[in-house]
Amino acid sequence: MDEKELIVREKTEQLRETAELRTSLMNDPKLHYLFFELTLRCNENCVHCGSRCGDVPSEELPAEVFIGILDKVAEDFKGRLPMLCITGGEPLLRKEFFEIAEHAKKLGYMWGITSNGTLITKDVARRLKEAGMATISVSLDGTKEYHDAFRRSKNAYERTVEGLRNLMEQGFEEVQVTTVVTPKNLPLLDEMFRVLCETDVDSWRLVGVEPIGRALEHPELFLSKSEQLRLLQYIRDRREEGYPVAYACSHWLGLGFEREVRDSYFFCDAGLRTASIMANGDIGGCLDIDRRPETIQGNVLKDDFTEVWKKRFGIFRKPLSSRCAECAQCPDEMFCRGGSAHTWDYVNDRQLVCFRRDW
């Protein structure tokens, strides 16, 4: 048996173990990640935004409701608190942001945020450190001209890079940059790589534009088959050189790229290990999932979150592949199970992003 066959055999065995874990979680889910969407307001207006954030009206739960949820989850999940992931919109626009974050720290939560980085002054970076922030993912999508146009925000690039530098000065150990890749910024990755090395961020996460939100109005943003392959090969090359570059958790990539471009195998854990509370109080899985009656599981203004987590989420606790004949018959069904919930077409019951099918 040659080296390639050994690798395939090893991957297949590990993927079977992952499949068994997924099945176990469908029967007995474990809450590992709890997302708080503090607002849909944002000081940028990104062309591709999955949540259509920007200068938009946003229902927002009062801070005391978020704090009450933290108290209740701390009581109900004592000894196994989920990681708290604070996001938006731009979460730093909420004037009560630090009130909520500091309360989470007091209760013992590990917490992190996703941000565009433009509001992270030296003082904000210091306050994030004092409030116990463990991780942050900052969006940077290209060099100056591209990034500012993509984000539709003047001087966004300079403000984001400055925010990254302010974070690094505070000594955070988990500062990640996330880049959404399109045909226009794919050729810019080497230049971005040099900037990120100079800034000394801890990791770089890349993913192609997904068919959600505003991106649906801009088909020119989607990567072709050859461009997607170039992206995955770029990530694999950087990883082989020892750099902490990775593809996002999205999508089953096939045996050729699984574990080569990220540390773990594909696993959509929406409703199995991940739950979210949206700005209006709705309860769901991943925040990128289409917000439809069947994907919304309740609302914290009238439902007990823990009871919802334990007794609902049925749509996420059976394979998406069971809803689609094409997926059910796929040779990789055991490993993919229908793919990512956030790119599932809930009207026609099919996967919108399938690399095995498209490749």
Side-chain angles (χ1 to χ4, degrees):
M1 186 179 296
D2 63 22
E3 183 179 0
K4 184 176 181 179
E5 290 175 320
L6 284 171
I7 291 173
V8 169
R9 184 173 179 176
E10 178 187 15
K11 285 184 176 183
T12 301
E13 180 59 34
Q14 291 170 346
L15 282 163
R16 291 184 187 279
E17 293 174 1
T18 301
E20 290 174 3
L21 172 61
R22 184 188 288 110
T23 299
S24 173
L25 288 169
M26 285 181 177
N27 295 319
D28 184 20
K30 308 290 185 186
L31 185 63
H32 286 191
Y33 304 102
L34 176 59
F35 282 77
F36 275 9
E37 180 184 70
L38 297 190
T39 182
L40 287 176
R41 291 180 292 122
C42 188
N43 59 332
E44 295 186 331
N45 186 26
C46 303
V47 176
H48 70 297
C49 182
S51 300
R52 299 181 183 272
C53 301
D55 185 15
V56 296
S58 173
E59 297 179 73
E60 295 176 0
L61 292 176
E64 55 265 28
V65 174
F66 280 116
I67 287 171
I69 294 166
L70 289 173
D71 289 337
K72 184 67 163 53
V73 170
E75 178 182 345
D76 293 344
F77 294 83
K78 190 173 183 179
R80 49 188 177 91
L81 287 181
M83 168 81 180
L84 179 66
C85 309
I86 304 176
T87 185
E90 173 49 58
L92 291 171
L93 286 175
R94 278 296 297 258
K95 65 180 185 298
E96 308 94 346
F97 173 88
F98 283 103
E99 179 184 355
I100 295 168
E102 288 163 0
H103 193 74
K105 177 187 177 183
K106 183 175 71 174
L107 292 174
Y109 287 90
M110 179 179 288
W111 67 272
I113 69 171
T114 57
S115 171
N116 61 41
T118 61
L119 302 179
I120 303 178
T121 62
K122 291 182 182 296
D123 181 61
V124 168
R126 176 187 58 77
R127 293 185 68 188
L128 290 169
K129 186 75 170 180
E130 291 172 352
M133 184 180 76
T135 67
I136 182 169
S137 178
V138 175
S139 298
L140 187 68
D141 293 310
T143 51
K144 174 177 170 50
E145 182 178 0
Y146 178 90
H147 181 82
D148 289 2
F150 192 63
R151 297 254 151 194
R152 296 193 285 203
S153 179
K154 187 177 180 180
N155 297 323
Y157 178 83
E158 288 91 342
R159 289 179 288 146
T160 296
V161 172
E162 181 64 22
L164 287 169
R165 291 183 177 130
N166 292 336
L167 290 167
M168 299 311 296
E169 285 181 4
Q170 289 296 323
F172 287 105
E173 296 181 358
E174 292 294 334
V175 177
Q176 180 184 78
V177 165
T178 295
T179 298
V180 176
V181 181
T182 72
K184 288 188 175 180
N185 68 350
L186 184 59
L188 303 177
L189 295 183
D190 279 334
E191 191 170 348
M192 286 191 67
F193 179 71
R194 288 192 292 271
V195 171
L196 297 180
C197 285
E198 291 169 3
T199 311
D200 199 27
V201 297
D202 300 294
S203 62
W204 189 18
R205 180 175 182 263
L206 301 103
V207 67
V209 170
E210 303 282 51
I212 57 176
R214 289 195 194 108
L216 291 169
E217 301 160 16
H218 297 278
E220 74 278 3
L221 298 178
F222 299 117
L223 297 175
S224 66
K225 170 184 174 180
S226 62
E227 289 165 337
Q228 183 67 55
L229 287 170
R230 279 176 58 195
L231 172 60
L232 294 175
Q233 289 162 351
Y234 179 87
I235 294 171
R236 183 166 60 187
D237 290 346
R238 296 289 80 75
R239 290 173 65 86
E240 287 177 353
E241 294 167 356
Y243 292 102
V245 181
Y247 188 74
C249 59
S250 306
H251 313 307
W252 163 249
L253 303 176
L255 283 174
F257 284 106
E258 283 292 334
R259 206 188 63 185
E260 306 298 320
V261 296
R262 55 190 171 209
D263 295 336
S264 58
Y265 292 105
F266 169 71
F267 194 131
C268 182
D269 62 7
L272 304 181
R273 296 190 295 196
T274 297
S276 301
I277 296 171
M278 301 168 202
N280 66 351
D282 283 345
I283 303 168
C286 167
L287 286 168
D288 287 334
I289 294 171
D290 195 11
R291 300 179 186 189
R292 304 172 55 83
E294 64 267 40
T295 62
I296 301 299
Q297 304 303 297
N299 188 289
V300 295
L301 295 176
K302 60 183 180 64
D303 299 307
D304 180 275
F305 170 78
T306 303
E307 288 301 302
V308 171
W309 172 255
K310 289 179 178 179
K311 297 180 180 179
R312 302 186 193 176
F313 284 89
I315 191 172
F316 302 113
R317 293 173 184 169
K318 57 183 179 182
L320 288 169
S321 55
S322 67
R323 303 161 60 117
C324 171
E326 180 185 11
C327 290
Q329 296 165 10
C330 176
D332 292 350
E333 188 275 338
M334 177 188 292
F335 308 139
C336 177
R337 290 300 177 97
S340 294
H342 74 278
T343 54
W344 188 261
D345 179 348
Y346 290 90
V347 175
N348 299 300
D349 270 337
R350 68 186 298 270
Q351 181 55 245
L352 295 174
V353 179
C354 173
F355 290 151
R356 192 182 199 284
R357 177 185 64 213
D358 297 339
W359 291 356

